[in-house]
Amino acid sequence: MEIVLYIVLLVVFFGSMVAIGFVCRRKAASTDGFLLGGRNVGAWLTAFAYGTSYFSAVVFVGYAGQFGHRFGIAATWIGLGNALIGSLLAWVLLGRRTRLMTRHLKTATMSDFFGKRYDSNALKIAAAIIIFIFLIPYTASLYNGLSRLFEMAFHIDFWICIVIMSVLTAVYVIAGGYMATAINDFIQGIIMVIGIVAVIVAVILTNGGWDQIFTSLSQVNDPAVSSQSGVFTSFFGPDVVSLFFVIILTSLGTWGLPQMVQKFYAIKDESAIIKGTVISTAFAVIVAGGCYFLGGFSRIYFPEKPADGYDAIIPAMLSKLSPILIGLVIILVLSASMSTLSSLSMTSASTVTLDLIKPYSKKEMSPKQEVLWIRGLIVVFIIISAVIAILQYEFNFSFIAQMMGVSWGALAGAFLAPFLYGLYSKKTTKAAVWFSYAYGVGVMVLYLFYSLWLKNYITLPSLLASPLNLGALVMLTDLIFVPLISLFTKKPDEKKVEKIFECYRKTILVPAEKVLVDEDEQK
């Protein structure tokens, strides 16, 4: 009976997603329409598209369990950081300026933005290559956590879940483009909000209510973490330094991720940006704050690290809930994964098509050919990411697992500073951007080699031994290095830069009788 319920929910969910894709097909005929919805997407759709691309199944199943177990209730700060830094501050500082400058430069991808903003085709190509290399393992990581939930509910192999999710995501993205993705993200976002709230309430009630669950958590002690009792209910948890770096990486890092900032390219107008800021922040508080708050109870279920890994924590917490709630969680996790998968695949495919293939095509591409290439590459990227996820799950390849871990840090470390300064500073130089690329990617790749082959021979300080800490440090220090390097390297062409920044200077024409004219000038 339970399986029948789950299947009905999935059929309705997947059927709705696919139907929306075909309904939006007419709006996806041109490149601008397919990738950016004609740059005419409203506040609610953009805000939910931003939020659902931000929070995937990795957050709900993986990070919530891992960091909740590590920091206790203090893990909630990660979700609040995601809301205040990753959403509110990102919209305030990046939203308007990104929309204006990308429309002024006529760019549809982050790599093309770098190329036109810094007047360098080489920077564009390098950025496109970085995106191509590091978005694939990041995309593959989205499937993490799905396996345990589906095994719990359906008792089916992981690869079947991946194939179904990949095929159906590809269908609605290819059919309807960004508009279909945005509408589906809105629906998926509503499911995520309802699901998170319902699950938190159910878990608290299942464990005896608010007072009892905190009492039980306060009695958990782990000498390996801290000698203090009640540390997992404390305000900042057992390791405030590591908590800070996790907040920085998962919050500030979104400013440099192409699939995130490209949401601002498509937003309709400035009033939509203001509304979207509020909506996106509220969404993040509920979804991200709720996920990590829920994960904070993990020590009640697993006083020590679970033998099956951190991905086992959240499924174990959910296994005692009612079948309806479990079905809702399955839809929630699928929603979180599919929304992020669609965003990442579109970002990868558009970057490769417009910035790597189109410029070197022997014949000039028509808009229809561009869209055809993008659709084809969406299929390719989804297949590659699915195969990588299946290989990692079946054979536990350490290289793939580590590559997934460093991809976020490499992308954000390479792009955050040059993108932010590109919107605000007229003095940022090409050399500084090249340094940022090399620094962000180089440090994380070196860490990848260290973790795979040198870990037994070289001991790093504890602060640098984690890819999360290291990624956060790279982003923070790069925000200092880029302006410093710009002071001592060749300055950009002032006339070209001024022309680029014209988009922020708006001329308003008024009727002559409305203008105050000096009486002497009239004479």
Side-chain angles (χ1 to χ4, degrees):
M1 187 63 184
E2 293 177 4
I3 293 180
V4 173
L5 172 65
Y6 301 153
I7 292 174
V8 170
L9 288 174
L10 288 176
V11 169
V12 172
F13 173 73
F14 286 135
S16 302
M17 301 298 105
V18 172
I20 289 170
F22 284 100
V23 168
C24 294
R25 187 174 178 83
R26 291 182 180 179
K27 297 182 180 181
S30 66
T31 306
D32 202 48
F34 186 84
L35 291 181
L36 302 173
R39 298 182 190 264
N40 197 36
V41 184
W44 282 92
L45 293 185
T46 303
F48 271 69
Y50 185 92
T52 54
S53 296
Y54 195 166
F55 308 116
S56 67
V58 176
V59 173
F60 183 74
V61 178
Y63 282 2
Q66 177 182 348
F67 297 131
H69 196 271
R70 184 175 176 184
F71 302 119
I73 291 298
T76 309
W77 284 110
I78 304 172
L80 297 178
N82 293 169
L84 298 177
I85 301 173
S87 295
L88 175 63
L89 204 56
W91 277 74
V92 170
L93 295 181
L94 303 181
R96 176 180 178 272
R97 284 183 167 259
T98 299
R99 176 185 173 273
L100 290 174
M101 187 174 284
T102 55
R103 183 170 293 200
H104 179 64
L105 296 176
K106 297 180 180 178
T107 62
T109 64
M110 178 179 265
S111 46
D112 192 32
F113 169 83
F114 286 133
K116 291 179 178 177
R117 168 61 184 85
Y118 295 107
D119 191 28
S120 172
N121 192 55
L123 281 176
K124 178 181 78 171
I125 294 171
I129 293 171
I130 293 170
I131 291 171
F132 171 74
I133 292 173
F134 288 99
L135 268 192
I136 289 178
Y138 180 37
T139 306
S141 70
L142 299 178
Y143 301 102
N144 287 352
L146 287 174
S147 59
R148 296 188 187 278
L149 285 175
F150 270 74
E151 286 173 358
M152 177 183 69
F154 297 102
H155 307 289
I156 61 174
D157 290 337
F158 178 45
W159 70 268
I160 298 176
C161 166
I162 290 181
V163 170
I164 294 172
M165 175 179 149
S166 300
V167 169
L168 293 172
T169 303
V171 168
Y172 81 72
V173 174
I174 291 169
Y178 182 81
M179 205 65 200
T181 301
I183 295 173
N184 279 330
D185 286 348
F186 179 73
I187 296 171
Q188 291 162 352
I190 292 174
I191 294 170
M192 290 168 68
V193 169
I194 295 172
I196 289 293
V197 173
V199 168
I200 290 174
V201 172
V203 168
I204 291 174
L205 293 177
T206 301
N207 286 275
W210 186 268
D211 292 337
Q212 182 58 47
I213 198 170
F214 272 88
T215 300
S216 300
L217 187 61
S218 66
Q219 295 172 352
V220 176
N221 291 313
D222 187 349
V225 175
S226 175
S227 58
Q228 298 179 357
S229 59
V231 70
F232 296 110
T233 57
S234 63
F235 199 64
F236 289 119
D239 188 353
V240 67
V241 175
S242 295
L243 178 62
F244 169 77
F245 282 115
V246 172
I247 292 171
I248 292 298
L249 182 69
T250 59
S251 303
L252 192 62
T254 59
W255 297 21
L257 296 178
Q259 76 277 10
M260 298 301 298
V261 297
Q262 281 178 216
K263 298 294 184 291
F264 300 130
Y265 292 24
I267 198 165
K268 185 177 182 180
D269 51 36
E270 296 200 30
S271 64
I273 293 175
I274 296 171
K275 293 177 184 176
T277 302
V278 177
I279 298 166
S280 179
T281 304
F283 180 86
V285 168
I286 297 171
V287 174
C291 281
Y292 289 109
F293 180 68
L294 178 66
F297 301 137
S298 62
R299 288 276 179 171
I300 296 175
Y301 295 81
F302 295 94
E304 298 179 356
K305 180 180 177 179
D308 293 335
Y310 292 114
D311 285 353
I313 292 175
I314 298 298
M317 295 173 70
L318 302 175
S319 62
K320 297 180 180 179
L321 303 182
S322 68
I324 294 178
L325 272 179
I326 293 175
L328 180 61
V329 169
I330 291 169
I331 301 298
L332 183 161
V333 174
L334 276 172
S335 297
S337 299
M338 290 177 71
S339 57
T340 309
L341 176 61
S342 62
S343 178
L344 290 171
S345 60
M346 283 190 69
T347 300
S348 301
S350 60
T351 298
V352 172
T353 299
L354 300 180
D355 301 329
L356 292 179
I357 296 176
K358 181 182 175 180
Y360 301 100
S361 177
K362 293 181 180 179
K363 295 181 180 180
E364 185 175 349
M365 280 189 187
S366 67
K368 287 185 178 180
Q369 289 174 323
E370 290 176 3
V371 172
L372 186 62
W373 267 99
I374 293 170
R375 282 174 165 149
L377 285 173
I378 285 172
V379 175
V380 171
F381 280 112
I382 288 179
I383 290 173
I384 293 174
S385 63
V387 170
I388 290 174
I390 292 171
L391 290 175
Q392 169 58 24
Y393 179 78
E394 294 291 341
F395 302 104
N396 197 27
F397 291 139
S398 58
F399 178 79
I400 293 176
Q402 293 295 333
M403 190 72 175
M404 291 175 178
V406 304
S407 57
W408 179 300
L411 288 164
F415 297 146
L416 189 155
F419 185 78
L420 178 63
Y421 289 123
L423 298 176
Y424 281 90
S425 174
K426 299 177 183 179
K427 298 180 180 180
T428 307
T429 64
K430 294 179 187 177
V433 179
W434 278 117
F435 171 83
S436 183
Y437 287 4
Y439 182 53
V441 172
V443 170
M444 298 312 294
V445 169
L446 285 175
Y447 176 83
L448 179 64
F449 280 99
Y450 162 78
S451 61
L452 290 172
W453 296 293
L454 303 177
K455 199 172 184 177
N456 295 328
Y457 307 100
I458 301 174
T459 302
L460 289 177
S462 58
L463 189 63
L464 303 178
S466 164
L468 297 173
N469 292 355
L470 195 59
L473 279 171
V474 169
M475 287 188 295
L476 291 174
T477 52
D478 200 32
L479 288 171
I480 299 171
F481 290 147
V482 166
L484 281 177
I485 294 171
S486 296
L487 288 174
F488 301 103
T489 51
K490 185 180 178 181
K491 302 298 181 283
D493 187 310
E494 288 188 16
K495 291 183 179 180
K496 290 182 178 180
V497 173
E498 287 297 331
K499 191 172 182 180
I500 290 171
F501 276 77
E502 280 179 358
C503 60
Y504 300 142
R505 295 191 295 272
K506 187 177 181 180
T507 301
I508 301 176
L509 301 177
V510 297
E513 62 268 19
K514 299 287 185 181
V515 181
L516 296 177
V517 181
D518 190 277
E519 292 182 1
D520 293 332
E521 290 182 2
Q522 288 182 332
K523 298 177 182 177

